[in-house]
């Protein structure tokens, strides 16, 4: 089968421009990932009150011996850029031989300040210093306070010691204000800034991990129970909730940037195993209340890491491997228990295992004091059996497979007065859903609703009136699934960043500029409805077929060729960190991004669709509503790519007293995101995705399939023959059925979604505590959703306008969908944070993040790329309502406390006012629309502590007991208790205002109380 191939001979001008820009950068010699994988140290060198010009500063990474050098300028200032996060011995030697030295710890993405005075004798080492080879490390942590970014650093100490079950380091993104991590039985999502998960982006060692096709924000996370990266390979990560700089791309809400571990001058390694028994997991309240058996889950996780020197101070290696095995027992059951006997053979339990393997390897080479080279690779594979639970028989199981392959080569060159960073990386991520029991046809058992309510004064309404598409409920499904799909994104990205520090003009400037060129490929194959599915009347009504074994219909989808699209992506940025005085700093930047095939730019609208639209437009007494002009959507294969993604970004910080204790900061910026290919894919896929439906009766009589009671629509049927249950009998019938697809139209002048962010705040240091109060806001425009083009009027008639069939095009279904980008979001928030880092001296640390938010939107309520709106003609006609992610109050507190006898206690407390839910039959619904209050309901709050009530409550604890054994080796016994008080946190509710159970929980967030034990060995 020949695929839709949108590969073009890559736009020569684009490739040439990208190559030229990259060549200019490489002429300096190259490196990687910029500040999103490194850190910066700067400061002033003095001799008493006098600036010490001409001195040399050397920062030596304690663990590897890698050295980075910088000259001190005439004003006594220095800047050391491109440093890996870690502990450094910083030495300065003046022109006349005086020295000063201090050892500091730098965190990812920060710009730390260290001022040294060569006229002051060096301080003696701390008695609690850690001996590493011949170097005594005191490791005073240097905090960044003069930044306009709203950022939270999560350290390796927190990653290793805070409680969790899944070993997904992204769980700890919830420690940052404005972010929410949501877990259910099948996946984990991260949302921020009142937006959906699609608006975030994750970088690992500077490599962009954006999901380019489907939902989830992060490649490989959508519909996955696993982790996107081995936790044991993560050194630390940084969450930027607001006002990220121009070097960051393709995110409208938040950035998460992580740096991986490297080998050191000593061999270090660890091995771990964690186990969770089914008896250690509490049953959720909903299934317990329904009297169902608990679905057992057994989880085993294990892995190891090893790093060390190949050549001391020069070449090091690091590797990690992690494995996850979950044995889930799925239960098939009926809500309508009166049919238990009929489905007895399909009810019960079945095993639905999940497995994941993740590998990571890295080589780090300090070529000389000026050059560093890193090469890393990752491979992840996972398999998940699911879909055989609830009202689905074990035969309905599907197999979900995910695979990720990544390579990242980074080179750094420290020249005389500049730092150049060059990288080449490759990322492949695929998702496959396949049918396990494809040889068994599907069976759907439904209850039909009386199509016309009985009216005693009208005898024609009495009795049961049959309409095959008026169904009350699906009771149960069995047999093989009908749908399978394969999605794969691949990208090869070349990037160069150039930093010029310490330029003098009205203060000191650090200029950073960069260029990116990414060659991307999207492959999407969707085989929907490819296994015949028969529908049965479970009540065996005599008005229908009078039987549970004679089907009323069969559905089958035809095969559609896959899409194979190439997209060339360019990005440029320049930014200036301008230190005007010792107190005032301004950050200026601008970014520009471009994609040449983001939304089917080379797609030609088929003639059949063009002619159908023209036929409707030429109907007498009808024209499309004013918001839809067909010419804006008909493409000749030459859609112009959007070139206006200019993104200015501004920030400032003012150190009120010049002592880095009280800092006022703020900023504003524009951020363009992107839209996943899954959205535009529907334009090329849906018109040819013919779903064939054949109706069956005992005698072949016509049946009602649509219309109203007064004006019904009837369709022919086929008299049932048991041979139709076999391929030889069914295939001729299906071959004779034409089927119909759906028309989806993408906007020719598409502009990707953009967010304008604003924030202002103050940071205050109290002893060892860092606190911050921030006022944040954001406004988002340009999110895409599908709306109905062939509405009868400007404000209504969405399903009663002229259809393709009515103008002679029965190959298309009745509704024509068009892309609308008028949706808007508004976000206002207050962030309050307090952080006291853990250290070995006092053995305790604490972190608090409080978020108040007010997030509103209009338009579609759907949160994924495949968003629809069937209630309003366009977003501007819908009311403004709370976003689905609008949790007004959220508190996340975490801490670690050292106890006697080498015990360590850590915990996370998460409290929230809960996410809103939609209220139906709402008495306060806006006039002119449906009787619905979108996200108008607030979950009931329950007691936590006396006087405090929250809708979401979770307390997680971890207790670790360490044993030091021979030769500095260490063994730790670990016990995790997640949701230790077994609070029930509801995620969905009885939403009909007229129901006596209105507001009662109907589905819960995971986890319930879960206990896990582990053993970790390290050396």
């Amino acid at each position: 089968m020949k695929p839709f191939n949108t590969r073009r001979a890559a736009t020569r001008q684009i490739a040439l421009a990208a190559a030229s820009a990259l060549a200019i950068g490489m002429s300096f010699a190259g490196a990687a990932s910029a500040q999103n994988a490194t850190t910066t140290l700067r400061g002033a060198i003095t001799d008493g009150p006098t600036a010490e010009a001409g001195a040399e500063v050397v920062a030596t990474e304690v663990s590897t011996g890698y050295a980075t050098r910088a000259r001190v300028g005439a004003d006594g200032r220095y800047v050391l850029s491109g440093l890996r996060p870690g502990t450094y011995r910083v030495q300065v030697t003046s022109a006349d031989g005086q020295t000063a030295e201090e050892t500091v710890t730098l965190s990812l993405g920060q710009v730390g300040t260290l001022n040294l005075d060569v006229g002051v004798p060096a301080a003696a080492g701390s008695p609690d210093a850690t001996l590493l080879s011949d170097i005594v490390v005191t490791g005073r942590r240097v905090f960044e306070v003069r930044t306009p970014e709203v950022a939270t650093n999560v350290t390796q100490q927190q990653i290793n010691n805070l409680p969790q079950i899944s070993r997904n380091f992204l769980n700890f993104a919830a420690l940052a204000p404005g972010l929410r991590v949501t877990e259910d039985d099948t996946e984990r999502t991260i949302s921020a800034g009142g937006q959906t998960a699609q608006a975030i982006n994750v970088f690992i060692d500077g490599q962009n991990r954006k999901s380019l096709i489907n939902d989830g924000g992060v490649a490989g996370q959508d519909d996955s129970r696993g982790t996107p990266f081995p936790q044991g390979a993560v050194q630390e990560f940084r969450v930027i909730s607001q006002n990220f700089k121009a070097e960051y791309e393709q995110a409208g809400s938040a950035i998460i940037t992580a740096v991986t571990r490297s080998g050191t001058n000593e061999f270090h390694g660890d091995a771990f195993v964690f186990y969770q028994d089914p008896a250690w997991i509490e049953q959720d309240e909903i299934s317990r209340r329904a009297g169902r058996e608990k679905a057992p889950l057994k989880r085993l996780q294990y892995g190891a890491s090893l790093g060390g020197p190949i050549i001391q101070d020069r070449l090091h290696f690091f590797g990690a491997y992690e494995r996850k095995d979950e044995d889930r027992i799925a239960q098939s059951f009926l809500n309508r228990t009166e049919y238990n006997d009929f489905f007895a053979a399909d009810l019960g339990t079945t095993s639905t295992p999940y497995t994941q393997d993740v590998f990571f390897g890295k080589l780090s080479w300090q070529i000389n004091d000026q050059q560093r080279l890193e090469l890393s690779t990752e491979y992840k594979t996972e398999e998940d059996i699911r879909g055989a639970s609830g009202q689905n028989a074990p035969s309905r199981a599907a197999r979900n497979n995910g695979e990720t392959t990544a390579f990242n080569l980074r080179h750094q060159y420290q020249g005389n007065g500049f730092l150049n960073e060059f990288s080449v990386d490759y990322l492949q991520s695929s998702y496959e859903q396949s049918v396990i029991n494809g040889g068994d046809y599907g069976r759907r058992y439904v209850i039909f609703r009386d199509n016309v309510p009985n009216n005693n004064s009208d005898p024609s309404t009495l009795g049961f009136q049959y309409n095959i598409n008026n169904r009350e409920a699906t009771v149960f499904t069995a047999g093989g699934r009908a749908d399978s799909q394969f999605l794969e994104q691949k990208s090869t990205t070349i990037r160069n960043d150039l930093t010029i520090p310490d330029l003098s003009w009205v203060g000191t400037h650090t200029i950073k500029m960069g260029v990116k060129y990414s060659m991307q490929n999207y492959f999407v194959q969707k085989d929907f409805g490819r296994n015949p599915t028969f529908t049965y009347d479970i009540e065996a009504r005599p008005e229908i077929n009078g039987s549970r074994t004679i089907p009323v219909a069969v559905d089958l989808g035809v095969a559609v060729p896959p899409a194979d699209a190439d997209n060339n992506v360019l990005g440029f940025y320049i930014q200036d960190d301008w230190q005007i005085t010792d107190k005032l700093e301004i950050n200026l930047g601008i970014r520009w991004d471009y994609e040449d095939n983001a939304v089917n730019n080379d797609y030609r609208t088929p003639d059949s669709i063009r002619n159908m639209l023209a036929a409707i437009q030429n109907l007498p007494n009808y024209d499309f509503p004013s918001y839809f002009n067909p010419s804006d959507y008909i493409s000749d294969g030459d859609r112009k790519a959007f070139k206006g993604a200019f993104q200015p970004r501004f920030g400032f910080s003012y150190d009120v007293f010049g002592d880095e204790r009280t800092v006022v900061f703020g900023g504003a910026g524009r951020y363009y995101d992107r839209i996943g290919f899954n959205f535009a894919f529907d334009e090329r896929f849906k018109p040819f995705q013919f779903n064939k439906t054949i109706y069956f009766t005992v005698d072949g009589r016509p049946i009602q399939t649509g219309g109203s009671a007064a004006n019904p629509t009837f369709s022919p049927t086929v008299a049932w023959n048991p041979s139709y249950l076999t391929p030889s009998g069914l295939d001729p019938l299906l071959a004779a059925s034409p089927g119909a697809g759906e028309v989806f139209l993408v906007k020719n002048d598409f502009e990707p979604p953009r967010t304008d962010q604003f924030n202002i705040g103050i940071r205050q240091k109290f002893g060892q505590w860092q606190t911050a109060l921030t006022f944040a806001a954001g406004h988002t425009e340009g999110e895409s959703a599908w709306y109905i083009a062939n509405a009868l009027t400007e404000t209504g008639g969405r399903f009663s306008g002229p259809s393709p069939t009515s103008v002679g095009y029965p190959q298309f279904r009745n509704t024509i969908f068009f892309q609308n980008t008028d949706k808007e979001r508004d976000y206002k928030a207050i962030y309050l944070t307090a952080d006291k880092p853990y250290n070995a001296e006092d053995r305790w640390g604490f972190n608090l993040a409080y978020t108040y938010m007010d997030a509103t939107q209009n338009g579609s309520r759907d949160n994924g790329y495949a968003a629809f709106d069937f209630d309003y003609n366009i977003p501007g006609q819908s009311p403004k309502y709370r976003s689905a992610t609008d949790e007004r109050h959220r508190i996340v507190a975490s801490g670690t406390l050292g106890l006697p006898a080498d015990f360590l206690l850590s915990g996370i407390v998460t409290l929230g006012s809960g996410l809103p839910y939609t209220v139906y039959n709402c008495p306060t619904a806006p006039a002119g629309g449906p009787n619905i209050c979108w996200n108008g309901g607030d979950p009931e709050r329950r007691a936590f502590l006396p006087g405090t009530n929250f809708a979401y409550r979770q307390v997680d604890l971890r207790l670790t007991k360490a044993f030091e054994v021979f030769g500095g080796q260490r063994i730790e016994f670990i016990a995790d208790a997640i949701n230790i008080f077994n609070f029930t946190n509801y995620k969905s509710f009885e939403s009909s205002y007229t129901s006596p159970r209105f507001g009662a929980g109907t589905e819960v967030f995971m986890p319930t109380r879960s206990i896990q034990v582990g053993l970790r060995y390290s050396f």
Side-chain angles (χ1 to χ4, degrees):
M1 182 177 297
K2 184 178 179 181
F4 290 125
N5 194 331
T6 68
R7 294 179 183 273
R8 296 178 286 177
T11 312
R12 293 183 183 273
Q13 292 89 343
I14 294 173
L16 222 66
S20 301
L22 291 167
I24 293 170
M26 290 175 67
S27 67
F28 289 106
S33 72
Q35 193 74 2
N36 53 28
T38 59
T39 188
T40 297
L41 182 66
R42 67 184 182 185
I45 307 300
T46 59
D47 184 352
T50 305
E52 185 65 34
E56 182 183 58
V57 180
V58 180
T60 303
E61 188 176 16
V62 169
S63 61
T64 64
Y66 294 174
T68 304
R69 304 175 187 274
R71 301 298 301 180
V72 178
D75 58 356
R77 297 186 180 279
Y78 72 94
V79 178
L80 288 163
S81 300
L83 300 175
R84 271 186 49 82
T87 299
Y88 286 83
R89 186 180 66 226
V90 182
Q91 299 169 303
V92 57
T93 303
S94 68
D96 59 1
Q98 291 179 290
T99 62
E101 177 181 325
E102 187 163 351
T103 303
V104 295
T105 297
L106 304 174
S107 296
L108 173 63
Q110 293 185 338
V111 180
T113 301
L114 177 64
N115 299 322
L116 293 173
D117 189 341
V118 296
V120 177
S126 164
D128 294 323
T130 302
L131 183 64
L132 182 61
S133 186
D134 296 326
I135 303 174
V136 177
V137 183
T138 56
R140 177 174 70 85
R141 184 171 291 275
V142 176
F143 292 98
E144 179 187 34
V145 293
R146 293 178 178 176
T147 176
E149 294 179 335
V150 181
T152 301
N153 280 71
V154 181
T155 67
Q156 193 173 65
Q157 186 275 330
Q158 292 171 298
I159 295 171
N160 286 341
N161 294 309
L162 289 177
Q164 68 158 329
I165 291 290
S166 61
R167 287 190 63 82
N168 187 334
F169 78 95
L170 292 178
N171 286 337
F172 300 127
L175 302 180
L179 271 80
R180 193 179 202 280
V181 178
T182 303
E183 178 183 358
D184 63 22
D185 190 46
T186 60
E187 65 181 5
R188 182 176 289 96
T189 58
I190 303 171
S191 59
Q195 300 187 53
T196 65
Q198 285 70 254
I200 71 163
N201 201 354
V202 171
F203 295 83
I204 297 179
D205 283 342
Q207 184 180 48
N208 187 332
R209 294 298 184 99
K210 186 81 170 184
S211 178
L212 303 177
I213 298 178
N214 51 351
D215 295 340
V218 186
Q221 273 290 268
D222 183 52
D223 213 20
S224 171
R225 290 188 171 111
T227 174
F229 195 80
Q231 178 173 295
V234 177
Q235 178 174 319
E236 60 181 283
F237 69 95
R238 179 176 173 90
V239 182
I240 310 175
S241 306
Q242 271 245 326
N243 203 29
F244 33 97
K245 293 182 180 180
E247 61 193 285
Y248 295 104
E249 60 187 317
Q250 295 183 342
S253 60
I255 291 287
I256 301 173
T257 176
V259 64
T260 59
R261 293 171 62 187
S262 298
T264 68
N265 276 336
E266 291 189 347
F267 287 100
H268 291 280
D270 73 340
F272 67 87
V273 59
F274 287 92
Y275 175 73
Q276 190 174 34
D277 191 82
W280 302 345
I281 303 173
E282 290 290 336
Q283 184 176 13
D284 72 88
E285 178 67 13
I286 299 300
S287 64
R288 185 194 63 78
R289 192 187 301 158
R292 298 194 290 269
E293 293 182 13
K294 185 177 78 170
L297 164 62
K298 182 169 64 176
R299 179 183 286 121
L300 178 66
Q301 300 174 90
Y302 55 91
S305 68
L306 178 65
I310 299 174
I311 302 174
Q312 287 281 332
D313 294 338
R314 288 299 179 193
L315 182 61
H316 302 86
F317 76 94
F318 178 82
Y321 165 72
E322 296 192 10
R323 166 86 176 186
K324 177 184 288 189
D325 285 307
E326 293 182 355
D327 190 5
R328 297 171 180 263
I329 305 299
Q331 289 186 325
S332 299
F333 57 88
L334 293 176
N335 290 326
R336 301 292 295 265
T337 55
E338 64 267 33
Y339 302 115
N340 275 356
D341 289 344
F342 182 78
F343 295 107
D346 287 312
L347 301 180
T349 62
T350 187
S351 176
T352 55
Y354 171 83
T355 60
Q356 182 184 56
D357 293 281
V358 194
F359 304 83
F360 174 77
K362 183 177 183 180
L363 288 174
S364 305
W365 180 23
Q366 174 98 351
I367 302 171
N368 52 43
D369 285 356
Q370 290 183 297
Q371 296 187 75
R372 183 178 303 172
L373 187 70
E374 286 189 350
L375 174 64
S376 62
T377 183
E378 175 202 354
Y379 177 71
K380 180 186 77 173
T381 181
E382 59 185 334
E383 180 177 277
D384 189 5
I385 306 300
R386 62 171 64 173
S389 62
Q391 285 74 62
N392 294 289
S395 55
R396 296 289 289 172
R399 178 180 289 107
N400 286 14
N401 290 87
E403 184 180 63
T404 298
T405 304
F407 297 95
N408 194 357
L409 176 66
R410 309 189 296 148
H411 179 264
Q412 180 175 320
Y413 180 77
Q414 185 79 51
N416 185 14
F418 69 89
L419 169 71
N420 198 75
E421 300 173 287
F422 173 78
S423 67
V424 179
D425 70 66
Y426 170 81
L427 177 66
Q428 174 271 337
S429 180
S430 65
Y431 167 80
E432 181 178 20
Q433 183 181 62
S434 57
V435 175
I436 294 178
N437 299 301
D440 184 11
Y441 60 83
R443 300 178 295 281
R444 180 190 303 117
Y445 297 87
V446 304
I447 296 175
F448 290 95
R449 186 181 288 114
D450 188 354
N451 196 50
V452 181
N454 289 339
N455 182 352
N456 291 330
S457 62
D458 183 359
S460 67
T461 67
L462 300 180
F464 183 84
Q465 310 288 322
Y466 175 42
N467 180 343
I468 193 171
N469 290 315
N470 192 350
R471 302 173 184 182
E472 179 179 320
T474 297
V475 174
F476 199 70
T477 55
R481 285 188 175 268
D483 300 339
S484 62
Q485 57 182 324
F486 178 78
L487 296 80
E488 182 181 53
Q489 68 177 67
K490 293 187 288 187
S491 61
T492 300
T493 303
I494 306 171
R495 176 171 177 159
N496 199 87
D497 299 279
L498 175 67
T499 303
I500 305 174
D502 206 20
L503 295 178
S504 295
W505 180 79
V506 193
T508 303
H509 300 257
T510 297
I511 306 294
K512 189 172 203 174
M513 63 192 77
V515 57
K516 160 195 166 176
Y517 174 52
S518 184
M519 297 165 284
Q520 299 177 352
N521 175 258
Y522 317 134
F523 183 89
V524 178
Q525 181 171 357
K526 295 189 177 183
D527 295 317
F528 287 173
R530 296 296 297 135
N531 188 35
T533 299
F534 291 86
T535 301
Y536 295 83
D537 167 29
I538 187 61
E539 293 184 309
R541 285 187 169 274
E543 302 89 343
I544 303 179
N545 284 336
S547 171
R548 292 176 178 171
T549 59
I550 297 178
V552 299
V554 64
D555 294 279
L556 181 71
V558 303
V560 182
D564 188 357
D566 290 332
N567 184 25
N568 293 290
V569 181
L570 275 176
F572 297 91
Y573 77 90
I574 184 170
Q575 63 191 36
D576 179 10
D577 295 340
W578 181 9
Q579 194 170 1
I580 300 175
T581 70
D582 288 342
K583 296 183 178 181
L584 178 63
E585 181 168 333
I586 291 178
N587 309 94
L588 302 171
I590 189 167
R591 181 177 187 89
W592 179 77
D593 289 300
Y594 171 85
E595 300 186 50
D596 74 349
N597 192 20
V599 284
N600 299 332
N601 293 66
D602 57 354
Y603 171 79
R604 185 186 184 279
T605 306
D607 289 339
S608 57
I609 294 177
R610 294 166 182 253
N611 296 336
M612 178 269 294
L613 293 173
I616 291 178
Q617 197 164 23
N618 291 331
L619 287 172
N621 302 318
Y622 179 80
D623 196 0
F624 286 110
S626 60
Y627 50 77
F628 174 73
N629 183 349
S631 63
D632 294 336
Y633 296 84
I634 293 175
S635 172
D636 292 324
D638 56 355
R639 280 186 182 135
K640 296 188 185 309
F642 179 64
K643 298 178 181 177
F646 291 96
Q647 303 155 74
R649 301 178 188 181
F650 164 80
F652 78 92
S653 63
Y654 182 71
D655 188 349
V656 177
F657 304 108
D659 59 1
E660 297 191 345
R661 301 184 67 84
T662 305
V663 177
V664 178
F665 64 93
R670 171 161 289 185
Y671 305 88
Y672 274 97
D673 202 349
R674 71 182 313 279
I675 186 170
F677 183 69
N678 224 10
F679 184 90
F681 173 77
D682 282 346
E683 181 183 44
R684 63 174 72 242
F685 173 72
K686 291 290 188 179
F688 306 100
Q689 185 202 355
F690 286 4
N691 289 314
K692 301 183 177 186
T693 301
I694 297 173
Y695 303 111
F696 296 113
T697 56
V698 174
D699 53 7
R701 69 187 186 279
I703 60 172
Q704 184 177 350
T705 55
S708 62
N711 187 25
T713 300
F714 288 88
S715 296
T717 68
V718 173
W720 174 249
N721 187 313
S723 67
Y724 297 149
L725 290 177
T726 66
S728 61
L730 183 62
D731 287 349
L733 280 181
L734 292 171
S737 175
E742 292 179 300
V743 175
F744 283 70
L745 302 169
V746 168
K747 198 174 182 180
N748 287 333
D749 60 349
F750 165 77
E751 179 178 336
R754 68 178 185 272
T755 299
D756 294 327
Q757 293 185 358
F758 316 88
N759 72 281
I760 189 166
I762 184 170
R763 295 188 184 92
Q764 180 64 55
K765 187 175 182 180
F766 299 98
Q768 298 184 69
W769 288 83
Q770 292 281 347
T771 65
L773 175 65
T774 307
F775 298 89
H779 177 73
T780 302
E781 296 182 1
E783 289 189 30
S784 292
W786 296 115
Y787 284 78
I788 297 173
N790 54 330
L792 187 63
T793 67
E794 292 283 321
T795 59
R798 287 174 293 282
F799 300 101
S800 53
S803 68
T805 300
S806 70
V807 293
Y809 290 86
Q811 69 267 41
F812 302 123
R813 294 187 179 185
N814 292 337
T815 306
I816 301 170
F817 293 102
F818 75 102
Q819 177 189 21
N820 183 286
T821 59
D822 294 338
K823 182 175 181 176
E824 297 185 12
R825 295 179 185 268
D826 285 292
Y827 176 73
K828 296 183 287 290
I830 300 173
Y831 303 147
L832 176 63
T833 60
D835 182 32
K836 188 273 176 190
Y838 179 89
N839 62 65
E841 184 176 343
D842 52 27
R843 300 190 69 210
W844 72 278
F846 181 81
N847 174 275
L848 172 70
Y850 165 75
T851 302
Y852 167 82
M853 77 162 64
D854 179 4
T856 58
Q857 67 176 78
N858 65 1
S860 170
R861 276 72 56 202
D862 295 340
N863 289 321
Y865 286 132
F868 289 84
D869 194 340
F870 298 110
D871 299 294
Y872 298 94
N873 288 36
I874 53 174
Q877 296 175 9
S878 81
K880 193 174 184 179
Y881 58 92
R882 292 174 64 185
S883 298
T885 55
D886 180 36
E887 186 173 31
R888 287 295 163 87
H889 302 275
R890 188 168 181 83
I891 300 170
V892 180
S894 66
T896 304
L897 176 64
L899 301 175
D902 282 331
F903 279 95
L904 193 70
L905 178 66
S906 62
I908 302 176
V909 178
T910 306
L911 305 170
S913 55
L915 297 174
Y917 61 91
T918 294
V919 179
Y920 297 91
N921 302 312
C922 181
T924 59
N931 194 24
I932 301 171
C933 293
W934 305 111
N935 295 329
D938 283 308
E940 179 185 358
R941 302 187 185 189
R942 301 168 185 265
F944 178 68
L945 293 175
T948 62
N949 298 297
F950 297 93
Y952 189 97
R953 304 161 297 165
Q954 184 169 322
V955 178
D956 306 333
L957 295 177
R958 168 175 284 191
L959 184 64
T960 303
K961 167 60 178 173
F963 296 90
E964 299 290 342
V965 294
F966 39 87
Q969 300 174 73
R970 185 179 179 90
I971 296 177
E972 295 172 304
F973 293 95
I974 302 167
D976 289 297
I978 307 300
N979 194 5
I980 189 171
F981 298 114
N982 200 34
F983 292 125
T984 297
N985 297 309
Y986 292 106
K987 65 183 292 187
S988 62
F989 304 86
E990 172 55 55
S991 54
S992 174
Y993 189 80
T994 58
S995 169
R997 298 188 67 252
F998 172 65
T1002 58
E1003 189 178 4
V1004 301
F1005 281 115
M1006 303 303 289
T1008 56
R1009 179 164 56 215
S1010 304
I1011 307 299
Q1012 176 179 264
V1013 296
L1015 178 67
R1016 183 163 57 205
Y1017 162 77
S1018 59
F1019 66 93

